[in-house]
Amino acid sequence: MQPRKLAIAAAIGLMGVSAQQASAADNTYFDNITPLPASAGPTATPATPLTLSSPYFSQQTIADRATQNTLVPGSNSGNWDMITANETGPDAGRYLFMPFETGSGGVQRIDLWDSNYATRTVTIVAPGTQGFVSGDASRWTPWGTFLTAEESWSGSSSKGRLFEITNATTAGANGGDFIQRNVLPRVSHEGLAFDSQNSFYFIDELNGGSIYKYVSANPNATTGDDYFNKGQTFALKVGAGSQFEGNNGPAITGAAEWVAITSATGTPTADTFSAMVNMGGGFFSMDGRMAADLVGATGYNRPEDLEIQTRADGSQVLYFATTDSDTNADSSDGRSRVYTLDVDTGEVKLFADSSTIDLATGAAVGGGLRNADNLAIDANGNIYFIEDRNGAVDDDVWLAVDLNKDGDLLDAGEGLARWASNGTPGSELTGLYFDKFNPNVAYVNIQHPADGVDRTIQITAVPEPESYAMFLAGLGLLGMIARRRTRV
């Protein structure tokens, strides 16, 4: 679907542009695909469960739950969810981290540099530590630690918490320093994201949930203690506010503002004081859900994940998925939306929904796109949607082809392309993550499969053979030109 990348590099080279300059414009082979026409059926080999959109992609299991519980019985409660890596600091890119989304949650780490399958994966937060449940979120912090959070909040529970592991890369088995950060209001967490100013975004995964932003009093802090010590939380209000997207209503777009639900130090405002919840023993937290309602924030239908894209001019766009939004309460003709929020201007736009073109058919994607959940971004800034659907039935990953990166899919050749499909019965795909240090490697989890064996799958992309040939031919011509110039 995309031009042959190395051939382009060679052609650009003939015009006097360096290979480094050429590769800077096109950094990955993951968008060089032929869109899959349909979802995959059941796989015969659980270790390689994906149907991929290019013969030049490969897959392998790099960790599985059965091995972990055989080596250390009871160490792994399963339901592996969102993935991130140590994106900064010593040995950056060496480790993957992911929580367990179970009633007895924990966190595991995979050492990508360890070639021994039996030793590369270790649980660093034991299941049930501090009553942790429904671990979902994963994000590496600007100061070099790991964040996760609970996708569980009812307004009267003790959950909905954000946690930081301050020794994520060095912790031994069950040795993670697991610290709750109470300055954030309680919500049902999933997506977490930092912008270039180190403002922190999160969501409430609820039918009617809001989008939030936390602004630290010390945005350039070098520890979580300092970053989460004091700060102000806001909820997103689009237009007049107090709307509810639901599963039978139009997209909510337009000019938006951030409305404060706490003071600059994290205490409630006069408007949100009644949202404080006594957790017992004189310990109080804010119910973020109630606080958002009190200030008229906009309610989306199960907002789930967040991802930030940086444009060529340095400006940023926040993408968020609303899993159950719909226009007619009929999921068979499509369900879910993906929105953009311009970080600078505050404008919310619809990016994709069931009316977006399916590049495999040229028609609206319709019921092919349902329950977009996780989001991911590759080295070219492309956005991917991961469906919360049934493996071996219709659980897919979609690549959003936005050729000019203008934040819509309305231009010629743009739309959605089915990038991968999951063939594991009883499961769903979670946590797609593109390696920040190897742009042609990605990772995804197989969560809650019928056989009980969660897996982390590594996906690798390589160039097509003809691209190599054209590239080498281009280099040969460059060599000839260089020799002629030398003689002159």
Side-chain angles (χ1 to χ4, degrees):
M1 186 178 72
Q2 300 295 320
R4 302 294 186 256
K5 300 177 186 300
L6 286 175
I8 289 175
I12 292 174
L14 291 174
M15 294 184 287
V17 179
S18 71
Q20 183 177 5
Q21 290 170 311
S23 64
D26 204 349
N27 302 305
T28 182
Y29 301 113
F30 275 130
D31 56 4
N32 193 11
I33 69 169
T34 300
L36 297 172
S39 301
T43 182
T45 52
T48 53
L50 304 177
T51 299
L52 299 167
S53 53
S54 170
Y56 304 102
F57 296 174
S58 61
Q59 60 181 304
Q60 63 174 325
T61 293
I62 61 170
D64 74 86
R65 183 186 176 210
T67 297
Q68 294 312 111
N69 280 333
T70 298
L71 293 169
V72 184
S75 66
N76 201 293
S77 58
N79 280 19
W80 301 356
D81 214 297
M82 304 283 279
I83 301 171
T84 194
N86 57 318
E87 297 175 346
T88 59
D91 297 336
R94 175 173 179 171
Y95 302 105
L96 299 180
F97 303 92
M98 61 204 70
F100 308 148
E101 190 184 14
T102 62
S104 185
V107 178
Q108 74 177 9
R109 181 184 67 214
I110 301 174
D111 185 349
L112 298 172
W113 295 4
D114 186 348
S115 60
N116 187 330
Y117 192 91
T119 59
R120 68 168 63 126
T121 306
V122 61
T123 295
I124 60 173
V125 174
T129 298
Q130 297 187 43
F132 184 54
V133 304
S134 302
D136 197 318
S138 286
R139 185 64 67 174
W140 193 251
T141 69
W143 55 91
T145 61
F146 173 73
L147 293 179
T148 188
E150 295 170 313
E151 190 186 18
S152 176
W153 176 244
S154 66
S156 59
S157 75
S158 60
K159 309 306 177 182
R161 298 169 293 176
L162 177 77
F163 286 90
E164 179 180 12
I165 303 178
T166 56
N167 64 338
T169 62
T170 59
N174 302 331
D177 292 331
F178 202 47
I179 301 172
Q180 184 195 340
R181 297 305 184 186
N182 193 55
V183 70
L184 253 66
R186 305 283 182 111
V187 296
S188 183
H189 283 283
E190 183 158 339
L192 307 174
F194 289 92
D195 68 19
S196 60
Q197 302 304 308
N198 289 345
S199 294
F200 181 60
Y201 300 84
F202 59 103
I203 58 89
D204 183 16
E205 198 268 291
L206 169 76
N207 189 350
S210 294
I211 315 299
Y212 301 83
K213 177 172 72 169
Y214 169 79
V215 179
S216 174
N218 187 1
N220 297 315
T222 57
T223 68
D225 286 345
D226 289 339
Y227 184 85
F228 292 114
N229 181 42
K230 294 179 181 179
Q232 188 166 26
T233 300
F234 303 81
L236 188 70
K237 180 177 180 179
V238 184
S242 297
Q243 316 96 316
F244 170 49
E245 185 183 28
N247 64 1
N248 193 18
I252 301 175
T253 61
E257 61 178 317
W258 291 105
V259 183
I261 60 174
T262 75
S263 71
T265 59
T267 59
T269 68
D271 292 330
T272 60
F273 186 82
S274 61
M276 297 301 291
V277 179
N278 189 343
M279 297 303 189
F283 182 70
F284 286 80
S285 287
M286 177 175 282
D287 180 344
R289 186 172 296 171
M290 181 185 295
D293 289 342
L294 288 169
V295 300
T298 295
Y300 286 97
N301 196 342
R302 287 185 64 198
E304 299 249 9
D305 201 9
L306 302 170
E307 195 60 69
I308 289 185
Q309 176 194 71
T310 302
R311 299 181 177 120
D313 63 2
S315 62
Q316 293 190 303
V317 178
L318 178 75
Y319 291 76
F320 62 94
T322 59
T323 298
D324 286 349
S325 54
D326 199 357
T327 57
N328 61 3
D330 180 3
S331 66
S332 66
D333 61 0
R335 173 160 291 180
S336 78
R337 298 177 177 125
V338 176
Y339 290 90
T340 62
L341 168 65
D342 189 301
V343 171
D344 294 325
T345 69
E347 185 177 10
V348 176
K349 294 182 179 180
L350 179 64
F351 180 64
D353 65 3
S354 59
S355 69
T356 304
I357 295 298
D358 181 344
L359 292 173
T361 66
V365 67
L369 176 68
R370 287 190 278 183
N371 305 109
D373 185 336
N374 295 169
L375 300 175
I377 186 167
D378 71 15
N380 280 346
N382 297 309
I383 300 296
Y384 296 72
F385 314 161
I386 301 87
E387 294 178 325
D388 183 356
R389 297 292 298 169
N390 303 313
V393 179
D394 62 353
D395 185 29
D396 302 320
V397 179
W398 294 85
L399 164 62
V401 180
D402 182 9
L403 296 173
N404 54 8
K405 298 294 187 294
D406 64 350
D408 66 47
L409 300 177
L410 303 176
D411 301 296
E414 295 186 342
L416 294 176
R418 190 181 274 105
W419 185 79
S421 191
N422 173 23
T424 302
S427 73
E428 63 174 295
L429 295 172
T430 61
L432 179 64
Y433 178 81
F434 290 89
D435 194 309
K436 300 295 187 290
F437 301 92
N438 187 336
N440 292 304
V441 172
Y443 308 92
V444 70
N445 282 330
I446 301 294
Q447 187 190 70
H448 60 69
D451 65 7
V453 184
D454 292 64
R455 296 176 181 274
T456 299
I457 308 298
Q458 177 179 301
I459 309 170
T460 303
V462 298
E464 300 177 21
E466 60 266 33
S467 296
Y468 272 131
M470 295 179 72
F471 180 63
L472 292 173
L475 288 179
L477 289 171
L478 282 172
M480 290 175 60
I481 292 170
R483 284 193 297 271
R484 287 177 181 174
R485 286 176 177 169
T486 301
R487 289 169 186 158
V488 173

